[in-house]
C-alpha cells in the first residue's frame, strides 16, 4: 500500500497520532486509503448537492474494505461567470484543479481515488490529475439537472441567454423573461443540454473511467446515489486487481472518446480538453486527424442546443452505453478496452438496448453521415479552429461575408445590442485566446444575443476564444494561432471577406499573401491585459488552443 508511507511502522507513530486526532481507528488505518475528491460548493448548481454523492461514495468504499478520506476541489460556474471578467477565471481553474489534486494525493500517499466533479473545467481538471497520478481511479459526477418548462416548452440555460437577446430586440417582455428565469433550471445538477459539463461527463463514461450511467443519470434520481456507492466499490476492485488510471486512459480509449464526441455532437470544448487530458496520459491527439474520425462517424444524437431534447431523454433511451453499442455495430469504436467495471467495453455493452430511436438514432438512420464537430483549417487558422457542426443551420454550412472586427467580447456584444450587425456579416472577436484573454473566455452571451434576434442563421462568428456548449449557430472558436501571438486573426481588417465551408473543413481570409505579410510586419503586440496575480502567471505558461491550452 502506498499509504504505508504515512501510517506503518514505529517511525510513523507521529503520523498516526495525527490520524488519531481526527478519530481514525487502527482498523481504518490498516485498510487502503482512498482519496475522495469533493468539488461540492454553494455557487454551482451542479455541485451544491455533491455532499450526498460523497457520502454514498464513502459508503461504497467502506463496504468494499477501504478507508475514505475526503478533500476538496474548487470550481467556477461558467453561467454565472459569463460575459464579465469572471469568465477569464474559468478555463484557468482546470490547471489549478489538476495541480491541487496532484499535491494532496502525493502528499498523503493515497492508494486510490474517487473523483466527484460535475461541471465544465472540474471534470477535465480531475481527468488530467487522474492521468498524471496513475492510481486506481473512478469518476462519479453529480449528474445533469432536469429540463425546465415554460408555457409548454422545455427549457435549458441556452433559452435564458437567448431570451435576453429577444428582449433587447423587442420580441419578448421583461415579465416573460422573469417568468422563464424562474422555470429554466428547476433542479440541482449540470445544465440540462449537451453542454460542456454533460459532454465531459459522458466522455468519462466513454473513456471507461466512469461507470455506465455516469454521463446521463439525472442528479435528482436515486440511481445517482446508488451509482456513487458502486463507484466506491469499483475503485476498491480496481485496487485489488492492480488496475490504474492509465491502464484505462489509453490511445484506443481516446479514439473512442473522439468517435463518441462526433456521434453525440458534444461541446466544442471537448476538443480543448481531450488533448490536454491525453497529454497527461502520454497520448497525442492531432487535430488534423479528427476530421478523419468525423468523416466516418455519423451524428446520432441532437440534444439541446442542437435540438429540443435533453440529457434526461438520452438517459431514458439507454444512455451512453446504448450510443456505444450503436457505434460498435459498424466497428467505429474499439471494444477491447478495459473499463472501471473490471470488464471490457464489449462486455459492458453486450446486452444494451436502444429504447428510443428518435432520441438516439440507430447507426443505420443517423441525423447526418458525418460527425457533430468539425475542425477547419486555412490561412485564417493554420493550426485549426473548431465548430459544432450539428448546431449549425444548413444555410450557414457554407458562407462568405464581410468581417466585422472586434478586439473584445464586450465590444461585439455592444454592437449586437445596438443593432449594428447585419445579415451576412462575419464577426471576428480576437485577443480572447488563452494568452490574449487571458483565459479564453466563452462567448455565450454574444452567440445567444444573435440567436435571440433570429440572426444565428444569418451571421457567422469567429474567435480565438471559445464557445459554451450551449452555443448554436455558425460559431467557430479556438482559432489558432491566437491574435496575441500574431496569428492571422490579428491581421483581419474591417470589411475583409471571409469564406467558411464547414463540410470542406476550410476557412479562408480572402486577402493575398503579400498583403498579409505587410500587415504582419506592421503588427504590434498589444500589452498584456493581466499584469499581476494568477492570470499574469498563466499568460507566461499557457500554450495555444490547438495543444489544449496546457501549461508548458
Amino acid at each position: 500500500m502506498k499509504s504505508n508511507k504515512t501510517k506503518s511502522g514505529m517511525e510513523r507513530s507521529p503520523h498516526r497520532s495525527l490520524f488519531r486526532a481526527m478519530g481514525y481507528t487502527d482498523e481504518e488505518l490498516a485498510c487502503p486509503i482512498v482519496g475522495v475528491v469533493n468539488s461540492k460548493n454553494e455557487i454551482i448548481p451542479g455541485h451544491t448537492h455533491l455532499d450526498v454523492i460523497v457520502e454514498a461514495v464513502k459508503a461504497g468504499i467502506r463496504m468494499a474494505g477501504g478507508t475514505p478520506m475526503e478533500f476538496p476541489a474548487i470550481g467556477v460556474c461558467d453561467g454565472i461567470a459569463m460575459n464579465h471578467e469572471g469568465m477569464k477565471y474559468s478555463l484557468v481553474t482546470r490547471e489549478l484543479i489538476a495541480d491541487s489534486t496532484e499535491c494532496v494525493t502525493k502528499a498523503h500517499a493515497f492508494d486510490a481515488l474517487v473523483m466527484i466533479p460535475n461541471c465544465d473545467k472540474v471534470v477535465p481538471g480531475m481527468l488530467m490529475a487522474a492521468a498524471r497520478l496513475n492510481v486506481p481511479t473512478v469518476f462519479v459526477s453529480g449528474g445533469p439537472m432536469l429540463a425546465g418548462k415554460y408555457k409548454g416548452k422545455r427549457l435549458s440555460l441556452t433559452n435564458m441567454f437567448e431570451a435576453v437577446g429577444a428582449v433587447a430586440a423587442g420580441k419578448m417582455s421583461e415579465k416573460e423573461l422573469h417568468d422563464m428565469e424562474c422555470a429554466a433550471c428547476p433542479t440541482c445538477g449540470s445544465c440540462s443540454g449537451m453542454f460542456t459539463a454533460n459532454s465531459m461527463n459522458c466522455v468519462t463514461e466513454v473513456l471507461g473511467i466512469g461507470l455506465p450511467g455516469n454521463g446521463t443519470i439525472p442528479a435528482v434520481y436515486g440511481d445517482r446515489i446508488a451509482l456513487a456507492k458502486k463507484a466506491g466499490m469499483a475503485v476498491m476492485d480496481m485496487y485489488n486487481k492492480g488496475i490504474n488510471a492509465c491502464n484505462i486512459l489509453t490511445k484506443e480509449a481516446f479514439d473512442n472518446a473522439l468517435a463518441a464526441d462526433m456521434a453525440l455532437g458534444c461541446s466544442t470544448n471537448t476538443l480543448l480538453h481531450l488533448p490536454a487530458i491525453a497529454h497527461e496520459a502520454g497520448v497525442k491527439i492531432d487535430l488534423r486527424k479528427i476530421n478523419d474520425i468525423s468523416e466516418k462517424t455519423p451524428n446520432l444524437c441532437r440534444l439541446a442546443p442542437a435540438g429540443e431534447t435533453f440529457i434526461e431523454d438520452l438517459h431514458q433511451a439507454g444512455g451512453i452505453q446504448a450510443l456505444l453499442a450503436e457505434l460498435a455495430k459498424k466497428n467505429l469504436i474499439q471494444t477491447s478496452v478495459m473499463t472501471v467495471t473490471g470488464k471490457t467495453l464489449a462486455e459492458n455493452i453486450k446486452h444494451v438496448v436502444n429504447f428510443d430511436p428518435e432520441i438516439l438514432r440507430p447507426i443505420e438512420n443517423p441525423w447526418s453521415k458525418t460527425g457533430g464537430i468539425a475542425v477547419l483549417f486555412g490561412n485564417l487558422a493554420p493550426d485549426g479552429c473548431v465548430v459544432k457542426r450539428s448546431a449549425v443551420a444548413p444555410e450557414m454550412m457554407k458562407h462568405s461575408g464581410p468581417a466585422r472586427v472586434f478586439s473584445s467580447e464586450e465590444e461585439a456584444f455592444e454592437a449586437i445590442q445596438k443593432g449594428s450587425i447585419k445579415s451576412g456579416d462575419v464577426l471576428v472577436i480576437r485577443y480572447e485566446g488563452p494568452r490574449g484573454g487571458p483565459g479564453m473566455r466563452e462567448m455565450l452571451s454574444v452567440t445567444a444575443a444573435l440567436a435571440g434576434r433570429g440572426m444565428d442563421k444569418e451571421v457567422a462568428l469567429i474567435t480565438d476564444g471559445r464557445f459554451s456548449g450551449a452555443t448554436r449557430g455558425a460559431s467557430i472558436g479556438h482559432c489558432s494561432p491566437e491574435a496575441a501571438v500574431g496569428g492571422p486573426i490579428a491581421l483581419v481588417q474591417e470589411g475583409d471577406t471571409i469564406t467558411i465551408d464547414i463540410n470542406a473543413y476550410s476557412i479562408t481570409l480572402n486577402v493575398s499573401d503579400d498583403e498579409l505579410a505587410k500587415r504582419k510586419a506592421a503588427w504590434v503586440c498589444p500589452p498584456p491585459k493581466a499584469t499581476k496575480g494568477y492570470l499574469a502567471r498563466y499568460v507566461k505558461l499557457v500554450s495555444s488552443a490547438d495543444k489544449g491550452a496546457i501549461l508548458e
Side-chain angles (χ1 to χ4, degrees):
M1 284 186 281
K2 292 178 185 291
S3 59
N4 283 341
K5 297 176 184 178
T6 69
K7 66 185 185 183
S8 294
M10 180 187 67
E11 67 279 9
R12 294 296 182 260
S13 182
H15 303 62
R16 289 194 297 275
S17 71
L18 293 170
F19 282 117
R20 293 185 194 285
M22 295 179 280
Y24 289 104
T25 66
D26 288 336
E27 291 80 5
E28 286 174 303
L29 294 180
C31 296
I33 295 179
V34 182
V36 178
V37 193
N38 182 9
S39 57
K40 193 265 186 200
N41 61 47
E42 296 180 350
I43 191 61
I44 308 177
H47 292 237
T48 188
H49 65 302
L50 292 187
D51 50 349
V52 178
I53 303 296
V54 167
E55 290 307 314
V57 166
K58 291 179 183 177
I61 292 169
R62 292 188 185 106
M63 283 190 285
T67 297
M69 294 188 182
E70 177 186 342
F71 66 94
I74 65 166
V76 166
C77 178
D78 280 22
I80 294 173
M82 193 71 65
N83 198 30
H84 60 92
E85 183 188 23
M87 183 46 71
K88 294 177 184 288
Y89 287 89
S90 172
L91 177 62
V92 304
T93 64
R94 188 186 71 181
E95 322 311 306
L96 287 172
I97 291 161
D99 293 349
S100 59
T101 302
E102 174 195 356
C103 290
V104 176
T105 301
K106 288 287 191 181
H108 299 93
F110 291 130
D111 296 302
L113 294 167
V114 177
M115 305 283 199
I116 307 174
N118 210 25
C119 292
D120 294 282
K121 310 305 134 349
V122 187
V123 185
M126 288 187 182
L127 280 166
M128 290 168 69
R132 191 183 299 174
L133 291 162
N134 194 28
V135 298
T137 306
V138 175
F139 276 67
V140 57
S141 76
M145 71 170 60
L146 300 179
K149 195 169 186 179
Y150 175 67
K151 290 186 176 179
K153 177 181 171 61
R154 297 169 79 197
L155 302 176
S156 70
L157 185 65
T158 301
N159 301 99
M160 288 312 307
F161 278 97
E162 293 180 0
V164 172
V167 172
K171 296 182 177 182
M172 179 183 288
S173 71
E174 290 193 32
K175 173 65 167 61
E176 289 175 301
L177 180 67
H178 176 267
D179 290 346
M180 281 184 65
E181 171 189 324
C182 295
C185 299
T187 73
C188 61
S190 48
C191 295
S192 56
M194 188 54 80
F195 311 147
T196 304
N198 290 325
S199 294
M200 291 307 304
N201 283 321
C202 290
V203 162
T204 66
E205 199 175 326
V206 179
L207 286 171
I209 204 161
L211 289 170
N214 188 50
T216 60
I217 297 173
V220 295
Y221 281 18
D223 283 349
R224 176 60 61 177
I225 297 172
L227 185 76
K229 293 175 184 175
K230 291 176 182 177
M233 291 185 279
V235 80
M236 291 307 301
D237 186 55
M238 289 179 71
Y239 173 80
N240 292 328
K241 291 177 177 177
I243 301 172
N244 292 332
C246 287
N247 297 128
I248 292 171
L249 298 175
T250 61
K251 179 184 181 300
E252 292 75 19
F254 283 103
D255 287 344
N256 285 350
L258 290 169
D261 197 1
M262 298 301 169
L264 284 168
C266 289
S267 164
T268 53
N269 281 315
T270 57
L271 292 193
L272 189 67
H273 299 316
L274 280 172
I277 299 160
H279 173 78
E280 296 289 353
V283 175
K284 181 176 175 55
I285 291 178
D286 184 352
L287 287 186
R288 292 185 179 275
K289 294 182 179 179
I290 287 174
N291 289 334
D292 294 337
I293 296 174
S294 184
E295 277 294 306
K296 65 182 182 182
T297 307
N299 180 222
L300 305 181
C301 196
R302 293 210 169 165
L303 306 183
E308 302 296 326
T309 51
F310 300 85
I311 295 292
E312 62 191 88
D313 301 311
L314 177 59
H315 177 63
Q316 297 300 330
I320 299 305
Q321 299 301 302
L323 175 94
L324 295 173
E326 292 291 350
L327 293 176
K329 289 179 182 177
K330 293 198 174 181
N331 299 315
L332 294 174
I333 55 171
Q334 300 178 63
T335 60
S336 61
V337 295
M338 179 56 62
T339 73
V340 293
T341 64
K343 301 176 181 178
T344 64
L345 178 57
E347 292 174 294
N348 288 347
I349 64 175
K350 187 174 181 180
H351 301 295
V352 167
V353 176
N354 180 353
F355 293 107
D356 192 335
E358 293 301 316
I359 300 297
L360 176 59
R361 291 281 185 93
I363 195 82
E364 300 83 5
N365 181 36
W367 284 99
S368 64
K369 293 182 179 180
T370 53
I373 293 179
V375 183
L376 315 185
F377 295 92
N379 67 343
L380 184 55
D383 295 333
C385 54
V386 182
V387 62
K388 188 170 183 172
R389 170 163 50 183
S390 60
V392 179
E395 55 265 44
M396 292 298 295
M397 297 297 285
K398 190 171 184 178
H399 179 78
S400 188
R404 302 295 308 280
V405 183
F406 304 94
S407 292
S408 72
E409 177 189 1
E410 288 84 358
E411 290 179 14
F413 185 73
E414 183 179 358
I416 294 168
Q417 293 297 78
K418 287 182 176 179
S420 301
I421 304 303
K422 307 302 180 187
S423 179
D425 285 349
V426 179
L427 277 70
V428 176
I429 306 177
R430 59 194 182 192
Y431 298 108
E432 289 285 6
R435 186 173 299 182
M440 203 178 181
R441 287 192 288 182
E442 291 182 343
M443 307 285 178
L444 179 56
S445 291
V446 172
T447 57
L450 289 170
R453 290 173 173 269
M455 300 183 74
D456 55 301
K457 298 178 181 180
E458 302 171 359
V459 172
L461 199 161
I462 301 165
T463 182
D464 53 7
R466 60 197 177 93
F467 295 108
S468 164
T471 293
R472 59 188 173 95
S475 303
I476 302 163
H478 310 190
C479 190
S480 300
E482 64 173 294
V485 298
I489 192 172
L491 311 178
V492 181
Q493 293 182 359
E494 189 83 8
D496 287 346
T497 301
I498 295 174
T499 299
I500 301 157
D501 192 337
I502 292 174
N503 286 331
Y505 306 108
S506 71
I507 185 166
T508 305
L509 174 61
N510 296 302
V511 174
S512 70
D513 292 343
D514 289 345
E515 175 61 22
L516 286 177
K518 291 177 184 177
R519 294 182 188 181
K520 177 70 172 178
W523 177 78
V524 177
C525 182
K529 296 176 184 176
T531 57
K532 62 181 181 179
Y534 180 59
L535 289 182
R537 297 197 300 275
Y538 183 84
V539 167
K540 294 177 182 178
L541 298 172
V542 70
S543 75
S544 61
D546 63 293
K547 295 180 180 178
I550 59 174
L551 299 187
E552 295 182 320

